[in-house]
Amino acid sequence: MVQTAIRATFFDFIDDPWKHVGEEHRAARFVHDGLLVIDDGMIVAFGDYQDISGDYPNVEVTEIPGRLITPGYIDGHIHFPQTRMLGAYGEQLLPWLEKSVFPEEMRYGDREYAEDGAKRFFDTLLASGTTTCQAFTSSYKVTTEVFFDEAAKRNMRVIGGLTGIDRFAPDDYLVTPESFYADSADLIDRYSAAGRNLYAITPRFGLGASKELLEQCRRLKEANPDLWVNTHISENPAEIRAVLAVHPDCDDYLGVYEKYGLVGPRFSGGHGIWLSDSEFRRFAASGASVTFCPSSNLFLGSGLFRLGRATDPEHRVKLSFGTDMGGGNRFSMLNALEDAYKVGMLNNTLLDGSVNPREQDLEEAERNKLSPYRAFYSITLGAAEALSIDEWVGNFEVGKEADFVALDWTAGPPAMEWHQSLLVDEHGPASTEDAAALLFGVMMVGDERCVDETWIMGERAYKKA
Ligand code: GUN
Ligand code: ZN
């Protein structure tokens, strides 16, 4: 296989910026004139062009000038069969599911419809710079097959799984605990760890999962301890009340998943807005992760996730970020960052507004602020660590898979170039701080129009028209 290389300006992370309060640049790595050498999709060398180009005299080099190369974005929580119905008007979580979500997802029982949806889904992800996602499918096996098949065609690293709901949905859309076990087991045999596919046992949420369904999830996890577990948790107050009514033997929402042995390092719970301090601590202690989905939380009016609480260094919860599309009204992780920043600012008004702010509130307020370092870490290396996929993706370490994005920091709305020129001159970023300033402009003023190219395993998979 011919080795190839990219010569460009690179920005990635080697550590968690929340660990470097006041000097977050130390968590980032900026290489102004860098070389990324790729062999068979894998990174074999990365560093300053001057330092390493001599070791690769015959490599075929692609130059990408005027762009900032970041690792591909990881969407930790997205719903493949909601691609068409995002932006549905008027309801909060539970009536929204009944009115808009289930009817659309039921169309994905038809293979042709699902295949068409899958092409649009992955095309849109790539145009948004998202190279990896953890996705919900539907109650149907065929939706899950189509999801994995289309991801494999594009050679994308994805996590997904048959999405089980055996109550609180139209009868035709319910699984039975037994059918969920059998269908999941068959899908695991065929898709788990095939190519870049990873399998998540996926009970949809506490309200849609009977004790019997969760018991089958436990059996699946016991039989396949290396698999991921993906679900929702503590998204909406009406949901939480209903969950505790279905599972009265559990003290809180996390307790439902704990009871069935599902909570640990490869467990992700989407949302977590209303988690108690005790639940946050149990997340931290078990190594499970929460996926913060700010666009969805605002769109559905679910609430404000306490980012500063989740990043308490004493009880640090592993975090990925997600669009939760169609709960979120955008596909782009850049929009998720924009909304996450605003959620942090609003949370700080609530903390500031308390009559006697406590020292711990002020520390939490500092951690709520989504700097560009925290933001881009959270959709690259941080997400990879939270989802336990950092052996493959998340930054430009040698041995990882070469998935990346070429960002045009001047693209976006009409005055974007002028706006960014206030921060950094026309020669582009010359330092880590410059790059971070431009990235903040990209997330707050730009959008997916800033994504100029998306590369998967060293091959260009998307180029903006
Ligand atoms: N809880 C159960 N199903 C869903 C879903 O499809 N979207 C969101 N946001 N929450 C859910
Ligand atoms: Zn969701």
Side-chain angles (χ1 to χ4, degrees):
M1 178 90 193
V2 192
Q3 284 186 340
T4 58
I6 306 294
R7 183 177 183 180
T9 300
F10 294 87
F11 189 97
D12 72 344
F13 288 88
I14 49 172
D15 202 1
D16 173 2
W18 271 281
K19 284 189 194 152
H20 298 271
V21 176
E23 40 183 27
E24 293 176 24
H25 62 277
R26 295 180 57 157
R29 174 166 58 177
F30 174 73
V31 185
H32 185 253
D33 180 14
L35 194 69
L36 183 78
V37 185
I38 301 162
D39 194 336
D40 204 14
M42 308 298 288
I43 299 169
V44 293
F46 175 57
D48 276 319
Y49 180 82
Q50 296 300 341
D51 295 344
I52 57 172
S53 58
D55 297 340
Y56 298 91
N58 300 319
V59 73
E60 190 185 296
V61 178
T62 301
E63 297 196 9
I64 311 184
R67 302 284 179 262
L68 194 56
I69 311 295
T70 68
Y73 308 139
I74 298 170
D75 187 334
H77 184 119
I78 190 167
H79 293 261
F80 154 49
Q82 295 176 17
T83 302
R84 196 175 181 188
M85 51 66 54
L86 84 174
Y89 173 75
E91 305 290 350
Q92 292 208 351
L93 177 65
L94 298 181
W96 169 81
L97 285 171
E98 291 179 282
K99 208 167 121 181
S100 301
V101 173
F102 297 141
E104 173 61 9
E105 291 194 3
M106 290 173 78
R107 300 197 172 100
Y108 280 70
D110 176 68
R111 178 173 287 277
E112 245 179 74
Y113 192 87
E115 285 176 349
D116 181 36
K119 290 195 183 78
R120 297 170 192 270
F121 175 79
F122 284 106
D123 283 349
T124 313
L125 285 184
L126 290 170
S128 308
T130 301
T131 51
T132 284
C133 67
Q134 173 168 252
F136 293 81
T137 64
S138 76
S139 306
Y140 307 122
K141 212 166 152 180
V142 65
T143 319
T144 314
E145 292 168 344
V146 166
F147 169 77
F148 281 128
D149 289 342
E150 189 65 30
K153 270 190 208 153
R154 295 160 191 256
N155 205 15
M156 288 170 70
R157 187 160 287 290
V158 295
I159 309 173
L162 180 71
T163 300
I165 182 165
D166 73 336
R167 55 185 310 289
F168 192 79
D171 284 350
D172 289 352
Y173 197 46
L174 298 177
V175 300
T176 66
E178 296 71 28
S179 74
F180 182 70
Y181 184 89
D183 287 350
S184 298
D186 177 53
L187 289 163
I188 290 164
D189 271 354
R190 289 160 52 212
Y191 290 102
S192 173
R196 299 184 83 195
N197 292 335
L198 301 170
Y199 198 91
I201 300 159
T202 311
R204 187 166 190 136
F205 67 147
L207 179 56
S210 68
K211 296 179 165 85
E212 292 73 23
L213 185 71
L214 290 167
E215 198 53 63
Q216 297 300 340
C217 293
R218 182 215 295 274
R219 284 183 62 212
L220 286 165
K221 180 70 178 165
E222 279 175 1
N224 307 275
D226 292 342
L227 292 192
W228 282 255
V229 178
N230 186 28
T231 189
H232 294 85
I233 191 163
S234 293
E235 179 175 1
N236 169 292
E239 172 214 13
I240 298 165
R241 285 193 295 272
V243 168
L244 295 177
V246 179
H247 300 280
D249 49 335
C250 300
D251 290 336
D252 54 27
Y253 206 146
L254 183 61
V256 175
Y257 300 129
E258 286 170 335
K259 182 176 170 202
Y260 296 93
L262 300 176
V263 179
R266 292 186 175 185
F267 173 94
S268 317
H271 306 290
I273 298 164
W274 302 98
L275 292 173
S276 64
D277 288 350
S278 157
E279 288 170 295
F280 270 133
R281 283 172 191 206
R282 279 142 56 208
F283 260 98
S286 69
S289 68
V290 173
T291 307
F292 175 24
C293 303
S295 307
S296 167
N297 301 161
L298 296 172
F299 182 71
L300 294 176
S302 303
L304 302 176
F305 178 68
R306 300 186 305 167
L307 185 61
R309 187 69 58 95
T311 49
D312 176 352
E314 305 280 310
H315 306 280
R316 174 69 152 92
V317 177
K318 295 201 289 178
L319 296 176
S320 65
F321 284 22
T323 58
D324 191 34
M325 188 287 308
N329 56 319
R330 302 273 182 231
F331 255 92
S332 165
M333 290 303 291
L334 299 173
N335 288 118
L337 296 181
E338 173 192 352
D339 287 336
Y341 178 79
K342 293 175 179 174
V343 167
M345 295 305 268
L346 273 171
N347 264 327
N348 283 352
T349 301
L350 299 178
L351 284 173
D352 277 357
S354 58
V355 180
N356 291 310
R358 298 165 305 168
E359 186 59 30
Q360 71 220 61
D361 291 341
L362 299 177
E363 287 170 14
E364 183 173 329
E366 200 290 324
R367 293 192 301 268
N368 271 329
K369 286 169 65 176
L370 194 69
S371 69
Y373 297 104
R374 291 169 175 179
F376 281 83
Y377 165 77
S378 297
I379 64 171
T380 58
L381 183 63
E385 290 172 348
L387 300 176
S388 301
I389 54 174
D390 52 313
E391 67 186 276
W392 300 294
V393 294
N395 64 7
F396 298 126
E397 286 298 294
V398 167
K400 293 199 185 184
E401 297 159 349
D403 291 350
F404 57 88
V405 173
L407 274 183
D408 178 357
W409 62 83
T410 66
M416 185 69 168
E417 187 166 7
W418 196 54
H419 164 73
Q420 295 280 52
S421 71
L422 186 64
L423 309 173
V424 174
D425 72 22
E426 72 276 11
H427 302 297
S431 65
T432 313
E433 288 80 0
D434 280 356
L438 291 177
L439 288 173
F440 194 65
V442 165
M443 71 189 238
M444 295 313 299
V445 186
D447 50 33
E448 70 270 31
R449 285 172 288 182
C450 297
V451 173
D452 192 43
E453 301 182 10
T454 305
W455 292 60
I456 299 288
M457 295 284 279
E459 309 236 342
R460 199 169 70 179
Y462 168 77
K463 166 78 184 158
K464 197 171 94 170

